[in-house]
Amino acid sequence: MCGIVGFTGEKPCAVSVLMEGLCNLEYRGYDSAGISYFDSQGTLTTVKTQGRLDRLQAKLDQIQPQSCCGIGHTRWATHGEPSDQNAHPHFTEKVSLVHNGIIENYQELRQFLAEKGYSFSTETDTETAVKLIDYFYQGDPFQALRKAAQWIEGSYAFGVLFADFPGHIYAMRKDSPLIVAVSDEGNFIASDISAVLRHTRRYHLLSEGEIALVMPDRVTFFTIEMDPIEKEVHTADWNIEQAQKGGYPHFMLKEIFEQPEALQATISPRLSHGLPDFSVNGLENGFFREVDSIHIVACGTAMHAGMVGKTLLEKLARVPVEVEVASEFRYRDPIFSTHPLVIVISQSGETADTLAALRLCKRSGVPVLAVVNVTGSSIAREADYCLYTYAGPEIAVASTKAYSVQIALMYLLAARCALDKGKMTEEEGQQFVKQLQEAAAATADVLALSDRIAVYAQELVPIHDLFFVGRGIDYALALEGSLKLKEISYIHSEAYAAGELKHGPISLISEGVPVIALATQPALLAKTVSNIKEIKARGGQVLLITREDSPVDPSCCDHLISLPNLDPLFMPLAAVVVLQLVAYHAAVGRGCDVDKPRNLAKSVTVE
Ligand code: M6R
């Protein structure tokens, strides 16, 4: 939510570095954009505008600024509508600031500052932060930041310029991500490494409450008490090519097509003697033996991956699993068993709701295992155990390859849990892993259906409502298919357990209403086909997604997509690719901004 970047170096290339960084961070929000920079005279100047980066670029083209140091911001609006005025950076004569997060006590601070003579020209919470820092500033930036931090409640990653200190960027964070990256050309701050990958892969993680001073030739770190800190340098394992479109028209399509590779990258390092083994991640074999209940906590697509995980863990290991939306979990005083385990799933590792749920569990003494894609992210760092998915950077707001690798880890965890609990023999475990690898490879066959799926998706272009149905594990997939379609194509859709339709929603089925029915589980096929017939009898237009060997009469539906005959438990890996492609092609057909759907951001760092 909101992207921050900053650069300071010897050459006057700051504006282009900032614009490139913002372009890479635009997936975090795109309601407005702006930069502050020191011009060649050392004067602090701000340019900002509502809307996307091309509008900011147009403004900058008129000025052609030369600068060696600046900060930039791309906004996902929380407080105050997207407008020029509310765009970041916010500034005073002495200070300019970009912010990601929410200042929760901003009204109180605003009142305090108003009493001190400050006036406000925006509706944002951030304006109070810059004015509070300005108020405390007496020539020493550290003291100003330190005092402001004592007053501010909420979450923030700040990048700050002080007019008196050209070439210096100050950074500070609490509950919002921020890194400090280093290179021979100069140094950076950024919400994440993808912003600066073209220049460097070396970075420091700024921890809660630390302050960084970033200069062209060095970076220094301090605790809030102003004690200097030595910090480890990390090297990103992502490269710039991975973070580019590579010839695809959209990141989303590229990421859908990267799934076979991402699955292999995630599965292979977790195998030893053909069995799941997480001992390198601190989960020794036997880890699950005593676990008597599991809570899977996540948001959106990651939560849907958790629903597949529930089916697998309960079926294979016979351990009760609850899947919960993180924003609800943390407020409902959850009941834990004697030996519980919480699994949090998050692509970004920064989702505020999931992070808050994790902290609640840790406070309750419950061990937390995180499944995360972004190395060094807050969730990865704070969990007791972390299993990384190796999807590479996922840039499109709609999550695709991250979902597949999350469920790949769910398969491996479920099998490990079953082995630990004596519910699966080693031979069965090895056979299970082989089937998982076959399923991962089979996603390539499903990708080959893309053109056919595109033809079907054209039928969805003019429609307003659509339904997804499925039973069992297919219901979890139906939810994911529905989320994907609505978030990028803006077609209203609902997902139902197929057996639930007759309890109400079937009243919405009339002539021509499209329904996507998933029937990948042989044991449930006959029941789902009956539900499809009920839909057809009311005029619904059905796309049936099933296995090649399903004994269905093709006339029971209007369109049929047949998937490879994998073991039923592994069908989600194949079926989800169809759902992703349906959403993608429908959104393209409707002329939507596929990678940056309206009102959304990739990394949701506010609660
Ligand atoms: O980064 P996370 O996996 O924690 O994100 C969770 C959700 O915000 C995310 O999956 C969201 O639902 C996606 N936009 C769906 O495509």
Side-chain angles (χ1 to χ4, degrees):
M1 220 110 261
C2 299
I4 289 179
V5 66
F7 171 74
T8 181
E10 299 295 350
K11 294 195 186 135
C13 58
V15 172
S16 62
V17 172
L18 294 178
M19 289 303 285
E20 184 200 331
L22 290 180
C23 182
N24 295 333
L25 289 174
E26 222 185 357
Y27 72 88
R28 300 177 75 92
Y30 26 83
D31 289 330
S32 63
I35 62 170
S36 285
Y37 56 90
F38 290 102
D39 67 15
S40 44
Q41 261 71 54
T43 308
L44 192 48
T45 308
T46 296
V47 182
K48 56 185 187 172
T49 175
Q50 190 218 329
R52 298 207 175 168
L53 284 174
D54 46 351
R55 294 183 63 169
L56 179 61
Q57 189 62 59
K59 277 192 165 182
L60 290 167
D61 286 347
Q62 289 170 8
I63 318 170
Q64 303 269 333
Q66 296 290 305
S67 170
C68 297
C69 173
I71 51 176
H73 188 270
T74 177
R75 177 171 187 240
W76 186 81
T78 59
H79 295 55
E81 57 169 9
S83 66
D84 287 2
Q85 204 66 342
N86 290 336
H88 297 218
H90 291 283
F91 58 91
T92 66
E93 256 179 46
K94 292 177 272 178
V95 189
S96 182
L97 171 143
V98 287
H99 170 214
N100 173 24
I102 290 184
I103 313 290
E104 285 169 2
N105 60 338
Y106 78 102
Q107 275 168 323
E108 230 173 286
L109 295 176
R110 207 171 161 119
Q111 198 180 330
F112 167 80
L113 289 161
E115 284 161 15
K116 301 289 172 200
Y118 283 88
S119 59
F120 290 85
S121 55
T122 79
E123 302 151 287
T124 66
D125 52 330
T126 304
E127 193 182 1
T128 57
V130 72
K131 293 196 167 156
L132 190 68
I133 293 169
D134 182 279
Y135 171 72
F136 286 126
Y137 180 65
Q138 307 280 333
D140 181 347
F142 287 109
Q143 286 308 329
L145 291 170
R146 196 176 161 216
K147 285 188 185 150
Q150 286 161 359
W151 283 51
I152 292 173
E153 287 166 21
S155 57
Y156 52 82
F158 289 143
V160 192
L161 301 180
F162 288 84
D164 295 340
F165 294 87
H168 292 191
I169 302 172
Y170 294 82
M172 179 167 85
R173 73 173 276 262
K174 177 177 167 278
D175 292 342
S176 288
L178 200 64
I179 59 156
V180 174
V182 291
S183 83
D184 297 337
E185 311 155 38
N187 298 317
F188 309 80
I189 60 164
S191 296
D192 64 51
I193 191 71
S194 68
V196 297
L197 270 181
R198 181 182 295 286
H199 306 279
T200 185
R201 290 167 60 202
R202 291 181 296 135
Y203 67 98
H204 302 274
L205 291 164
L206 192 64
S207 298
E208 299 279 298
E210 291 176 353
I211 303 180
L213 167 57
V214 183
M215 291 179 279
D217 57 346
R218 64 185 187 280
V219 296
T220 45
F221 298 92
F222 300 88
T223 64
I224 202 79
E225 286 79 31
M226 292 312 305
D227 297 322
I229 327 172
E230 285 300 317
K231 289 190 77 79
E232 190 187 345
V233 183
H234 301 268
T235 304
D237 48 13
W238 295 351
N239 59 44
I240 185 70
E241 287 73 33
Q242 285 176 300
Q244 290 178 332
K245 284 189 199 152
Y248 285 88
H250 298 99
F251 278 111
M252 182 177 175
L253 191 62
K254 173 179 176 247
E255 289 159 8
I256 291 172
F257 273 79
E258 282 172 346
Q259 288 178 109
E261 206 186 332
L263 284 164
Q264 209 200 343
T266 300
I267 296 166
S268 311
R270 273 52 190 258
L271 301 180
S272 166
H273 305 292
L275 288 172
D277 187 328
F278 299 101
S279 43
V280 287
N281 306 109
L283 299 184
E284 294 301 334
N285 293 347
F287 173 87
F288 290 96
R289 201 169 295 133
E290 300 300 319
V291 172
D292 61 1
S293 75
I294 296 178
H295 297 257
I296 301 181
V297 185
C299 303
T301 286
M303 196 270 289
H304 294 154
M307 290 178 75
V308 174
K310 172 184 163 77
T311 306
L312 301 170
L313 282 155
E314 289 189 337
K315 191 174 173 62
L316 298 175
R318 305 303 297 154
V319 58
V321 181
E322 281 189 47
V323 181
E324 304 186 57
V325 173
S327 54
E328 292 294 319
F329 176 81
R330 66 167 303 211
Y331 292 112
R332 71 164 188 80
D333 197 7
I335 300 168
F336 295 111
S337 59
T338 320
H339 296 292
L341 174 70
V342 169
I343 302 179
V344 293
I345 308 177
S346 175
Q347 186 287 128
S348 63
E350 297 295 350
T351 301
D353 290 320
T354 311
L355 186 57
L358 177 158
R359 288 177 177 164
L360 169 91
C361 297
K362 289 196 72 178
R363 281 198 300 278
S364 312
V366 177
V368 180
L369 163 62
V371 172
V372 173
N373 196 43
V374 178
T375 315
S377 54
S378 304
I379 291 175
R381 282 186 286 160
E382 292 193 30
D384 299 292
Y385 308 94
C386 177
L387 301 179
Y388 283 114
T389 50
Y390 298 122
E394 190 181 67
I395 309 287
V397 165
S399 191
T400 53
K401 62 177 178 173
Y403 171 87
S404 294
V405 293
Q406 284 161 355
I407 64 173
L409 271 186
M410 290 295 122
Y411 283 103
L412 292 172
L413 282 171
R416 185 66 261 164
C417 188
L419 286 157
D420 287 356
K421 286 182 169 295
K423 303 282 185 203
M424 183 184 261
T425 64
E426 290 205 345
E427 292 69 41
E428 286 165 342
Q430 283 157 344
Q431 174 63 10
F432 182 87
V433 165
K434 256 178 82 188
Q435 288 171 326
L436 172 62
Q437 288 175 310
E438 279 162 20
T443 55
D445 303 335
V446 186
L447 290 169
L449 302 175
S450 181
D451 290 346
R452 257 192 68 203
I453 295 169
V455 173
Y456 165 73
Q458 286 319 298
E459 293 194 10
L460 304 183
V461 168
I463 63 133
H464 301 292
D465 301 288
L466 181 146
F467 295 87
F468 287 82
V469 295
R471 284 171 178 261
I473 211 164
D474 283 338
Y475 171 52
L477 279 167
L479 287 165
E480 174 56 11
S482 174
L483 172 61
K484 213 87 309 169
L485 184 79
K486 69 182 86 146
E487 86 174 308
I488 60 166
S489 73
Y490 318 140
I491 296 171
H492 168 244
S493 79
E494 305 270 358
Y496 286 102
E500 266 298 289
L501 274 194
K502 58 186 176 294
H503 297 289
I506 201 160
S507 62
L508 296 168
I509 305 291
S510 58
E511 202 57 41
V513 170
V515 177
I516 297 182
L518 290 136
T520 69
Q521 303 298 303
L524 301 170
L525 181 70
K527 298 277 182 234
T528 308
V529 168
S530 300
N531 300 137
I532 292 171
K533 289 192 171 148
E534 290 153 15
I535 294 164
K536 287 294 304 162
R538 283 147 185 96
Q541 289 281 312
V542 176
L543 164 69
L544 172 60
I545 302 171
T546 189
R547 302 157 56 86
E548 267 162 13
D549 65 0
S550 280
V552 286
D553 171 3
S555 69
C556 80
C557 57
D558 301 278
H559 305 274
L560 179 69
I561 292 197
S562 302
L563 299 173
N565 298 321
L566 305 168
D567 179 273
L569 218 46
F570 298 97
M571 290 305 292
L573 281 169
V576 77
V577 177
V578 178
L579 302 177
Q580 294 165 347
L581 287 167
V582 167
Y584 172 78
H585 289 300
V588 170
R590 285 165 70 92
C592 297
D593 190 345
V594 173
D595 286 337
K596 295 179 192 134
R598 70 184 178 210
N599 304 339
L600 288 171
K602 181 75 180 161
S603 182
V604 186
T605 53
V606 293
E607 285 186 52

